[in-house]
Structure formats: structure tokens, C-alpha cells
Amino acid sequence: MTIATSLGTSAHGPSGASAGRGVVIGTAALTFSDVIAVARHNARVTLDPASLTQVAATRTIIDALAADTEPHYGISTGFGALATTFITPDRRAQLQASLVRSHAAGSGPEVEREVVRALMLLRLSTLMTGRTGVRPATAETYAAVLNAEITPVVHEYGSLGCSGDLAPLAHCALVVMGEGQARDATGVLVGGKEALAAAGIAPVVLAEKEGLALINGTDGMLGMLVLALDDLTRLLVTADIAAAMSVEALLGTDAVFAADLQQLRPQLGQADSAANLRHLLHGSGLLASHAGPEDASVQDAYSLRCAPQVHGAARDTAAHAALVAGRELASAIDNPVVTIDGRVLSNGNFHGAPLGYVLDFLAIASADVASMSERRTDRHLDASRSKGLPPFLAHEVGVDSGLMIAQYTAAGIVSELKRLAAPASVDSIPSSAMQEDHVSMGWHAARKLRRSLDGLGRVLAIEIMTAARSLDLRAPLAPAAATGAVRDLVRTVAGGPGHDRFLSLEIEGVAGLVASGAVRLAAGTGLA
């Protein structure tokens, strides 16, 4: 299974998305495309009526336990280290509200709107499984906040990934209660009460168990993982495009990408990457210009020759991460949880280790793909290795610096990506009076992965910009149709060979083409 096919569907049920009708949320698992539609494209959500009936049935179990004189965790007790403290009925609404208020303790910059929408969607999906014990009205209000495009303010710091993403989810729950801060649909910062009032939404007064159900999940980690996998689908194809342009411009060979050679090592991602390179380089006049028995390019440098092996390993890593994410999308994460046969039980499913591990793994892959790309960029600029190209691709050597400092920028980013590849998931730190004595740090793994993927896109953009200039300098020899089309796209935002000019704007322009998917589209169809 490839990452692309993983992102299209859930492994545990049909998609909730219907073209033109938004995303239907019920007991079935959401798909990756559902999450992307709501988080990035503001798709509306609709609650499945049959699932709402199940939510209501489960709530009757909670109401019965709330009336019991015996304590039940999360219903008539305190939380965490206070789990044995009985709370009388007249104080339980305050208990739930106090839980949310105290846990909304985030600090630092606001996280991105798409992250908040993803984590809210995923929490709502768990509420709709009927395993949390919330009232239907609470789920309906949560959905209304999403559809009104109200974005609670969630901060960078606060989650340890222990009982899930407590602080980020608490900031969202606070707005559902008509408190806290949010951004309205236009991005203006308002109070939670004002945001709900403007949208005609009545605040929720939390009942027993609901505070826990709104904040006890892995939704922030999972949301950022799904978003990252969507980005990687584009970036790993872009990495193949960049490598193909470099192989051509550096007068390398495509013979090493032959299918029979790749089949000797049947790694799935490697096969896909090699197939992309063959497709991209098909019909290249540059490669034809030096092909034949006398071609000295059989032993190209590893950064050229081994691109399928490295890019393919990253693809396989992403495919594994997609499997983990698919299972998590099919999960009902809460503590305590209402089982299908009506028991209310504490559990440890909120621990973020499965997500933290793969988030860290993806940061390693991102750093390595970027590292290989930067090495290819450097080869273009070194006259001793570039097979006839001018030093630094400068127009007038000695007067012009060419793309010398563009490589510095790529190298600086790669250095940071290596630091970001250090795993967060091994850095547990105890909390809650040693009750939560081992935590996943999955939120932190996700936050650094987002920064890592941004850096990877920029490093690939610098390679593509550099390779485009090298291709121009090889004229009149012509590149392949696909790589030539990408070179032409680059020329819409960055000039060709010539005297030095303000380079930062050109780098940003090409980085924008990478981020938007325009580079991927320019290369045409037929890429895995």
C-alpha cells in the first residue's frame, strides 16, 4: 500500500464525505479526505441521526450512574489524582466547568486554524461514537461551532500527550461553553461568548462526564498527523521531480532506475519513486546526448543514483504512519469510556505513544530527504562536479555570486531539520502528582513535524530553482517534457541565468509553487 492510497480511505469503514454535502459524522470512522476537507477547505459537518440516537441511549447510562450513591470516576468524582473524591450532585456542573477552565492553560503563539479545525472534527467524531456519554445537544453545539467557522484560540504549549491533548481540547471546550477566546469566520479575535452569540449558538452548560469527554483525546496529535501525511503526499512526489531535474542537468544517467534493477530489492516506496523518475526523464534530450556504452555516468553520486532508495524509504515510512492514523481515526478515545455492553470503565487508550512514534519517524524521513536534496543542489554549484556548468551558476564569475547563498539557505534549513529529527516521544516527563508518570509528548512531535515539512518544501524549492537554471545553461540540449514544464513554471516566479538580483523573492516564489502543488501539477500525470 502506498501513502497516496492510504490517504484516500480509512482502513476501518467507508468515508463520511459526500461530494457537495460536506462530511457526515456518525459511528463510522472518518477518512483522511474528510479531515482535510473540514480542516483546510471549511467543509460543513452533519451529524448522522441514527448515531445521535445511539449517543442519547448511552447518555441514559451516565444519568443512571450519576444518580447512584456510589462514586463513579469522571461522573461523581474528581479527576486524575483526585479520582477518589466524591462530588455531590449540586456541585457537579461546577466540577465539569472547573475542569475545562483549569485545563485551558495553554501558553505561547496560537496554533494554525487548520490544526484547530482538525482536532475539533476528530473530537466530535469520538463524541458521535456513543462511547463517551455526552448528551446529543452537546455534540450538536460542537458541530455548530465548526460550521460557523469559529476557531477557538489554542496555544503552542500545554499538551504532554498524556491523557491526550488536554489543554488544546480544553481551549476548544471553553469556547463551546461561551468562554475563552476565538477567531470568528473573518479571523477577528473575539470572546467565546461573543462568537457564539454572533452565530446564534447557545453555550453548553456541561453535565456529568461531559467535561472529560470534551478534553480527553489524541485529536491534536492525530489531526496534525493527517495534515502532515497530506503534505507528504505532495512533497515526496516533488522530491522525485527535483531529483529528475538534477539528474538531467548534471548529465547523469537514468539507467540505474530501470525496473528490473529495482525489482531486485522489492521495497514498495522505492519502486514507486524509481517509476516516477523513469516517467519524468522519458524522452530527455539531455540524457540522450551522452547515453551509450561510453557514458561515464554509471557511477553517479549517491544523491543522484540512490534517490529512489531514500525517497522510497520515506514513502514507506509515511505509509506505515498512515496505517497508524487510519486505526486512530476508527478509535473512540475517552476516559472513562462507555463500552458497547453499557459498562463505564477507566482505560489507557488516551496515551499518545502510537502517534508520537510515527510523528517522530516522519521527522527523521523529512530531514533525510531534505539532506539528499541539499547535496544535489550543492553539486550544481561546484564546477569540479557539475560537468561543465559555471561556478555557482554565476553569469559573470568573480563579479556575480550566482546561487551560492541559496545553497547556504538550504544547508541552514537542513541543519535545523536534523535537530528537529530528535525524537520527542522518548522525552517523557511526569505530571499530576505522579499519577501521569509517563507521557507521550506526541503534541510536541507533531508541532516539530509541521516545521520540518515546511523546511523540506523550501529545500526542495531551492533545488528545483537551481536545477532549472542548470537546465537553461545546458541549452540547446532539451530536457524531458515533464521536467521542462516544471522549468517553465519556475520561470513565472524566478528569472533564468543572468546577473545577480534580489534572490529571496525568487526562492519564496518557487517555495510557493511547491506548497500549492503547482510543481506537482506541472509535471503532468502518471506519477505515483
Side-chain angles (χ1 to χ4, degrees), residues 144-200:
V145 171
L146 263 176
N147 284 337
E149 298 185 26
I150 296 169
T151 307
V153 172
V154 173
H155 298 279
E156 181 83 16
Y157 306 111
S159 176
L160 298 179
C162 46
S163 291
D165 295 312
L166 291 173
L169 284 165
H171 280 274
C172 297
L174 201 61
V175 171
V176 175
M177 292 164 51
E179 302 179 26
Q181 291 184 308
R183 299 278 176 184
D184 67 16
T186 66
V188 174
L189 181 66
V190 296
K193 180 179 179 180
E194 291 75 20
L196 295 188

Side-chain angles (χ1 to χ4, degrees), residues 6 9-16 25-32 34-35 54 121-132 218-219 222-223 225-226 321-334 337-338 340 349 354-355:
S6 299
T9 59
S10 166
H12 297 269
S15 170
I25 306 177
T27 55
L30 294 174
T31 66
F32 291 84
D34 294 336
V35 178
Q54 186 169 330
L121 171 69
L122 295 169
R123 180 72 333 218
L124 181 57
S125 178
T126 286
L127 299 181
M128 288 297 293
T129 64
R131 306 274 63 83
T132 71
T218 57
D219 309 291
L222 177 58
L225 175 57
V226 173
L323 281 174
V324 173
R327 295 175 188 135
E328 198 77 359
L329 286 171
S331 303
I333 305 296
D334 194 12
V337 68
V338 184
I340 293 174
N349 286 336
L355 300 173

